[in-house]
Amino acid sequence: MSTSPPDSLTYLRHTIRSGLREGDSFEKFFERWIAEQNQHLEELVSASKEEEAAPDRGVLRPLVKRVVQHYEHYYRAKGRWGKTDILAMLSPSWRSSLEDAFLWVGGWRPSMAFHLLYSKSGLQLEARLQELMQGLSTGDLGDLSATQLEQVDVLQKETIRKEQEITEKLAEQQETVADASMVELAHAMTEAEAMDVDVGQSRVDATLAPKQDALVGLLHMADQLRLNTLRKVIDILTPMQAVHYLIAAAALHLRIHEWGKKRDARLSQNVNTQAR
């Protein structure tokens, strides 16, 4: 009898115990994690419909907490694998070229959380405008209060400021690719090749090590800002609004991943056909 693969959290614990040995790739973890995100999306959609039919059942808060925890252990996993192979985390092979085009320090821009909120809020406001004009509460993101909008605005400004700080740090780090140590090493290796001398990989590794360490720190800062932004947006919302927000976030992530993978597969197939 075949057994199903372990869930993402079990897989993460296994790799931690085994010291993230070679072969235990983040891609395997991500495949499990994204399958679970799809399951969570189905749960969230079902819960939102059931809550509209029978409000105050007390099931939304635990569900929201579980979904946020799923994001938390995704970022814990990224942090651990990032220390092992930071370049793979910043240029992930498990993402599509479509997703790559919108990456910021190995993930989504934290400020995107607010664009998502406003877009979904506007769509739900438009869809249930008649109810709101009659003074009825819809309970979804189209029904954000003035206080909530003010809190979101404050959080958005704070997030953008921190995002810009990380962007500036990233720019500074990218400029080190042409610093004295790199230029000297490139020159030494070019001369060595001309004289058929082996400079040695150890010198290359020693020169690149501090730069990669700095990138590990930047990825950690970016992921913390992503996670903290998500948590704080959820804290501003009611449980029902949080469910609608998490539905929008998961649906957008899953569909873009799906569209990108299909596009890459189609382009690859076209290339293979032309090569025959």
Side-chain angles (χ1 to χ4, degrees), residues 141-241:
L141 293 171
D143 199 15
L144 291 171
S145 69
T147 299
Q148 286 177 310
L149 288 171
E150 185 178 335
Q151 291 173 322
V152 169
D153 183 59
V154 171
L155 178 59
Q156 182 176 13
K157 290 175 181 176
E158 176 190 352
T159 301
I160 290 173
R161 179 181 60 78
K162 291 180 179 178
E163 187 180 286
Q164 289 173 338
E165 289 176 0
I166 296 173
T167 297
E168 290 171 5
K169 290 179 184 294
L170 177 61
E172 291 173 3
Q173 188 55 34
Q174 288 172 329
E175 289 169 1
T176 67
V177 76
D179 66 13
S181 67
M182 292 288 284
V183 173
E184 180 186 6
L185 177 60
H187 177 71
M189 292 196 71
T190 302
E191 285 199 333
E193 286 181 6
M195 294 184 292
D196 198 22
V197 176
D198 184 11
V199 171
Q201 186 62 39
S202 60
R203 183 174 174 185
V204 175
D205 292 341
T207 303
L208 292 177
K211 303 180 191 307
Q212 293 187 80
D213 289 343
L215 291 173
V216 170
L218 283 170
L219 178 65
H220 175 72
M221 291 171 63
D223 281 346
Q224 281 299 112
L225 184 56
R226 282 185 267 264
L227 183 56
N228 288 339
T229 301
L230 175 65
R231 286 171 175 158
K232 290 177 180 178
V233 168
I234 295 298
D235 286 344
I236 292 171
L237 305 176
T238 67
M240 185 62 161
Q241 290 170 339

Side-chain angles (χ1 to χ4, degrees), residues 62-76:
L63 176 58
V64 168
K65 182 178 180 181
R66 190 164 72 252
V67 173
V68 172
Q69 286 175 338
H70 191 239
Y71 282 101
E72 290 171 350
H73 92 254
Y74 170 74
Y75 287 115
R76 283 201 302 273

